[in-house]
Amino acid sequence: MTSHEFSSAGNSNPIRMNDKRGSSLLSNPNNSLAVPFSTTAKLVYQVPPEGGVWAYFHINSDPITSEKKTNIVYQEKEIVVENVCGKEDALFLDTSGFQYFHHPAQHKPFNNDEEIVREYYPESIELLKKLTGASRVEILTIRRRRRGQVEDTPTSRQPVSQVHIDQTNKAAVVRLEQHLASEAAELQKRCFKIINLWRPINHPVYDWPLALKRTLCDFRSVEKKDAFPWALVFKDREFRGSWKYLDGMTPDELVLIKCVALYTLHTGFEDPAMPAGSPPRESIELRAFVFYD
């Protein structure tokens, strides 16, 4: 995976002219809908098991107990998460590890897996080519997330509530060999990355929004000793750097997250500043290989 700068074509669409709750509300701290400059939330970090034991986490729930087996210990830490509304254009994939865009999806309402594959996949492939300058895109996985749902399947899950990264560099090569086995040897000679395309669906997200540590933590602020790999039967602990989120992201907005060649930490979190009556979060994320000539 050689270095490749992302295309400046990705900056073509500004995020917002005004915040959905009204830019004038920023100056009115007594208004319950005022846009927060930051919020303080309890983020859940993962602590590796003692004695050098390999950490593991079962991605699927036990059919009897509904629990996901793990030997990882969880630790809450109170963190200030900055709202980047109005400052989105200062964040770029190559320097922050994530970038926000305004681009409404043509496909809606994301309720049928077959329709998602038939309609959302092709438009996402073309969008990723446009935003990253890639010459080829191959969809790897897709997840719909709805907080509070009972169903837990590979394509429909709860929001992830622990700080994590999506992929290690080594695992990315393994996924390439699994997903595109007949071409993997040749494709590894090209510059490639895995990108997560994340967006809200059906309504704006105030409930359990996505925090990104600048790299959703700034990946430049993450030290390797602060992260650890685990086996997912499908990385990470880290207390430095500044966390970011975009308050009230709408279905017309999306964020691209780099999944390899850096540490891009992210997590869903319970926002104590969430407006009363906000519906449970619904979102969709699509991970894809992007290749460059």
Side-chain angles (χ1 to χ4, degrees), residues 68-87:
K68 296 182 178 182
K69 296 179 181 179
T70 182
N71 63 349
I72 297 169
V73 176
Y74 297 100
Q75 178 184 34
E76 280 190 347
K77 187 172 179 65
E78 201 166 79
I79 299 289
V80 174
V81 187
E82 179 189 358
N83 178 17
V84 298
C85 180
K87 298 174 285 188

Side-chain angles (χ1 to χ4, degrees), residues 10-286:
N11 302 325
S12 58
N13 291 329
I15 301 301
R16 296 172 175 172
M17 297 303 294
N18 293 291
D19 187 272
K20 296 168 293 306
R21 293 193 276 189
S23 58
S24 62
L25 297 176
L26 283 167
S27 60
N28 183 4
N30 296 318
N31 193 312
S32 62
L33 292 180
V35 180
F37 291 105
S38 65
T39 188
T40 300
K42 293 180 179 179
L43 302 189
V44 180
Y45 289 80
Q46 301 161 60
V47 181
E50 296 180 353
V53 176
W54 186 261
Y56 68 85
F57 180 88
H58 285 249
I59 197 67
N60 294 314
S61 300
D62 184 283
I64 299 175
T65 66
S66 297
E67 295 180 352
K68 296 182 178 182
K69 296 179 181 179
T70 182
N71 63 349
I72 297 169
V73 176
Y74 297 100
Q75 178 184 34
E76 280 190 347
K77 187 172 179 65
E78 201 166 79
I79 299 289
V80 174
V81 187
E82 179 189 358
N83 178 17
V84 298
C85 180
K87 298 174 285 188
E88 304 95 321
D89 58 0
L91 300 168
F92 299 95
L93 275 165
D94 285 318
T95 54
S96 293
F98 65 101
Q99 187 170 349
Y100 294 100
F101 297 91
H102 180 276
H103 194 286
Q106 296 176 14
H107 173 78
K108 297 169 184 177
F110 298 99
N111 291 324
N112 182 283
D113 289 345
E114 291 183 358
E115 291 179 356
I116 289 172
V117 172
R118 185 172 64 249
E119 299 174 7
Y120 188 57
Y121 273 30
E123 73 166 281
S124 296
I125 288 172
E126 293 308 309
L127 180 59
L128 282 166
K129 287 181 179 179
K130 174 184 176 181
L131 298 182
T132 68
S135 57
R136 177 178 175 180
V137 174
E138 296 285 345
I139 305 298
L140 181 57
T141 61
I142 193 162
R143 298 281 187 273
R144 283 176 293 154
R145 299 193 185 276
R146 291 181 168 89
R147 193 180 68 78
Q149 68 178 12
V150 176
E151 182 185 21
D152 184 33
T153 68
T155 58
S156 186
R157 299 191 185 279
Q158 295 276 359
V160 177
S161 58
Q162 300 88 34
V163 174
H164 67 286
I165 66 171
D166 285 342
Q167 207 86 56
T168 64
N169 292 348
K170 183 177 180 179
V173 173
V174 172
R175 296 301 294 270
L176 178 62
E177 292 171 343
Q178 293 172 337
H179 192 72
L180 297 166
S182 63
E183 302 176 81
E186 286 301 314
L187 289 173
Q188 287 184 57
K189 299 176 183 178
R190 298 169 61 178
C191 174
F192 77 90
K193 304 184 188 302
I194 296 177
I195 301 293
N196 184 334
L197 189 166
W198 189 99
R199 71 162 75 238
I201 55 177
N202 298 329
H203 52 74
V205 169
Y206 294 101
D207 173 74
W208 282 84
L210 184 68
L212 303 167
K213 190 174 186 283
R214 235 197 122 210
T215 59
L216 285 178
C217 310
D218 191 329
F219 73 86
R220 296 167 296 183
S221 70
V222 180
E223 299 182 20
K224 290 185 178 180
K225 67 183 179 64
D226 291 320
F228 67 94
W230 31 277
L232 286 174
V233 170
F234 207 127
K235 218 180 152 184
D236 9 358
R237 166 175 164 264
E238 175 285 336
F239 295 155
R240 298 167 183 77
S242 58
W243 285 87
K244 313 289 183 182
Y245 80 115
L246 182 58
D247 182 60
M249 277 187 73
T250 75
D252 289 349
E253 296 164 341
L254 63 96
V255 61
L256 298 186
I257 309 169
K258 269 188 174 182
C259 297
V260 296
L262 50 81
Y263 296 102
T264 303
L265 303 180
H266 51 287
T267 180
F269 71 98
E270 186 173 9
D271 184 4
M274 177 187 74
S278 297
R281 171 181 141 185
E282 297 185 58
S283 61
I284 190 165
E285 61 203 62
L286 177 154

